[in-house]
Amino acid sequence: MSKSELDQLRDRVDELNLELLRLINERARLVQEIGRVKESQGVYRYDPVRERIMLDKIKEHNDGPFENSTIDHIFKEIFKASLNLQKDDHEKALLVSRKKKKENTIVNVKGELIGDGKQHFVFGPCAVESYEQVATVAKAMKEKGLKLLRGGAYKPRTSPYDFQGLGVEGLKILKRVADEFDMAVISEIVNPADIEMAIDYIDVIQIGARNMQNFELLKAAGAVNKPVLLKRGLAATIEEFINAAEYIMAQGNGQIILCERGIRTYERATRNTLDISAVPILKQETHLPVMVDVTHSTGRRDLLLPAAKAAIAIGADGVMAEVHPEPRVALSDAQQQMNLEQFDHFYNELLASNFVRV
Ligand code: PEP
Ligand code: MN
């Protein structure tokens, strides 16, 4: 029985598919060969001008039925796939990725080894308001053997009329307290031009959620020899977060701590939505330590402890939370900071949970 017309046409399409397959692989092998020649000549591989000339030539010969725009699209994909072949997986991998480095990065902050498998805690007020305020919290921390003190001197606030922080005065207060109590301080810097000045006062540069994609700030923080705590943007995907860290590391500074601090969703029960699964994803995808800020993610005192337990249980290297001697009169985030008694309870409960290792 002879084949139907449809079957014959389909047979021909099958043949052409194989012909195309053979041709694009033959082309790929040639591109690989070109890559090798270029490498031996020390030439950068990607050549957009050459790509444009090739596309123009192809379209000159295009008699349809495909439109030129469709031909453009198809060939650009072929070009891209071939170019990717020229790089091996290791070369394509980001500096912050596990593919590039298998072992965990340990960030040494005055002897606190963040990423060493134990949990590390960062406490302190939202904003530096006075020496007495910071010293009171530092003293309470010191009594618990805690060393990592936070406090904002530059506060990125939603309203320009809200307290903006004490600026350099705030950094000086932090340094004084750190020296007196032998502690390390973490403080947010918002202006790339302030980085050089700030590193004389602080031990960790914090880059806040609102600045996660301030690329000039990331580059400036990457150009100095000082640990950086990078917070996830309010609406940043994990991929964007990882790329923000890459900006820092690409400048030479690999001492980076990632900090999940909640993302904006439709949910209003919490200030932000703590994306707890970001922790193991970041741990898998990167070699950097990961912390969780339970204060800004939940915005609720009653959720600080369960959120911190969840963070630790899921593999976070540390937890950050805000503590203020008198939260009611705090100049920022009055609703969510713990007072000293609540802090005491919070920390004792955490230590009592059997999966915390300090
Ligand atoms: C902070 O930690 O002081 C802060 C402002 O947090 P975020 O940047 O995560 O909002
Ligand atoms: Mn705050």
Side-chain angles (χ1 to χ4, degrees), residues 298-309:
T298 66
R300 285 175 51 160
R301 284 193 198 99
D302 60 334
L303 298 183
L304 298 175
L305 183 58
K309 285 183 181 170

Side-chain angles (χ1 to χ4, degrees), residues 29-60:
R29 276 188 290 274
L30 276 172
V31 173
Q32 278 180 312
E33 193 53 39
I34 291 172
R36 273 190 285 274
V37 174
K38 278 194 179 178
E39 193 163 278
S40 69
Q41 296 174 351
V43 195
Y44 182 60
R45 286 174 187 150
Y46 177 57
D47 183 351
V49 178
R50 161 93 183 128
E51 210 166 84
R52 170 62 38 216
I53 295 169
M54 285 196 293
L55 278 176
D56 287 346
K57 204 168 190 176
I58 292 164
K59 286 183 290 187
E60 256 172 49

Side-chain angles (χ1 to χ4, degrees), residues 126 150 155 271 296 322 333 336:
C126 180
R150 63 150 285 144
K155 296 303 298 175
R271 179 171 171 179
H296 295 95
E322 287 180 349
D333 285 348
Q336 62 192 30

Side-chain angles (χ1 to χ4, degrees), residues 52-101:
R52 170 62 38 216
I53 295 169
M54 285 196 293
L55 278 176
D56 287 346
K57 204 168 190 176
I58 292 164
K59 286 183 290 187
E60 256 172 49
H61 289 84
N62 180 26
D63 300 324
F66 279 132
E67 302 262 359
N68 273 350
S69 57
T70 311
I71 293 293
D72 249 344
H73 181 74
I74 293 171
F75 275 88
K76 274 185 186 165
E77 284 301 317
I78 294 176
F79 295 172
K80 197 165 79 191
S82 310
L83 192 69
N84 273 340
L85 266 183
Q86 291 183 355
K87 300 188 205 159
D88 61 29
D89 276 355
H90 186 73
E91 212 181 338
K92 270 186 279 184
L94 297 179
L95 297 170
V96 296
S97 76
R98 278 268 177 223
K99 282 196 200 109
K100 205 71 166 184
K101 179 171 170 260

Side-chain angles (χ1 to χ4, degrees), residues 115-344:
D116 64 354
K118 295 179 182 162
Q119 281 87 39
H120 300 267
F121 296 91
V122 179
F123 296 111
C126 180
V128 176
E129 295 166 7
S130 68
Y131 166 79
E132 289 70 26
Q133 173 233 19
V134 180
T136 306
V137 178
K139 187 165 164 286
M141 288 174 63
K142 188 82 190 169
E143 282 164 7
K144 299 182 187 336
L146 291 161
K147 194 162 177 179
L148 302 172
L149 175 68
R150 63 150 285 144
Y154 298 92
K155 296 303 298 175
R157 305 299 301 280
T158 301
S159 164
Y161 307 114
D162 284 342
F163 176 60
Q164 302 286 306
L166 296 179
V168 187
E169 276 317 303
L171 296 181
K172 287 182 179 163
I173 291 172
L174 286 170
K175 170 121 181 71
R176 183 176 156 202
V177 174
D179 288 346
E180 285 175 12
F181 291 86
D182 184 30
M183 291 171 90
V185 289
I186 300 176
S187 197
E188 176 164 359
I189 302 300
V190 294
N191 185 345
D194 286 344
I195 296 268
E196 284 286 345
M197 169 278 292
I199 56 178
D200 291 339
Y201 298 105
I202 63 181
D203 302 289
V204 178
I205 301 165
Q206 177 168 318
I207 295 187
R210 286 153 197 83
N211 272 317
M212 190 207 81
Q213 282 191 319
N214 181 338
F215 299 118
E216 294 311 313
L217 184 62
L218 297 172
K219 286 188 219 165
V224 292
N225 182 19
K226 187 68 85 174
V228 179
L229 183 132
L230 176 66
K231 300 188 88 174
R232 180 175 180 183
L234 284 87
T237 63
I238 290 175
E239 193 185 354
E240 287 164 339
F241 189 19
I242 291 175
N243 272 288
E246 184 74 5
Y247 263 89
I248 300 169
M249 193 156 179
Q251 297 296 316
N253 187 356
Q255 307 164 79
I256 306 164
I257 303 158
L258 300 173
C259 183
E260 160 63 35
R261 48 79 70 206
I263 48 175
R264 183 163 288 182
T265 70
Y266 52 80
E267 183 53 64
R268 298 268 63 91
T270 47
R271 179 171 171 179
N272 288 287
T273 299
L274 174 56
D275 182 9
I276 199 75
S277 55
V279 176
I281 296 173
L282 291 166
K283 295 287 296 174
Q284 279 165 35
E285 301 276 319
T286 81
H287 49 78
L288 302 173
V290 180
M291 283 200 164
V292 171
D293 172 346
V294 291
T295 299
H296 295 95
S297 51
T298 66
R300 285 175 51 160
R301 284 193 198 99
D302 60 334
L303 298 183
L304 298 175
L305 183 58
K309 285 183 181 170
I312 292 166
I314 210 165
D317 297 285
V319 168
M320 175 189 278
E322 287 180 349
V323 179
H324 190 289
E326 259 190 284
R328 273 172 310 149
V329 296
L331 296 177
S332 58
D333 285 348
Q335 300 306 313
Q336 62 192 30
Q337 305 196 57
M338 288 183 272
N339 66 25
L340 296 179
E341 204 179 309
Q342 289 158 340
F343 169 46
D344 203 51

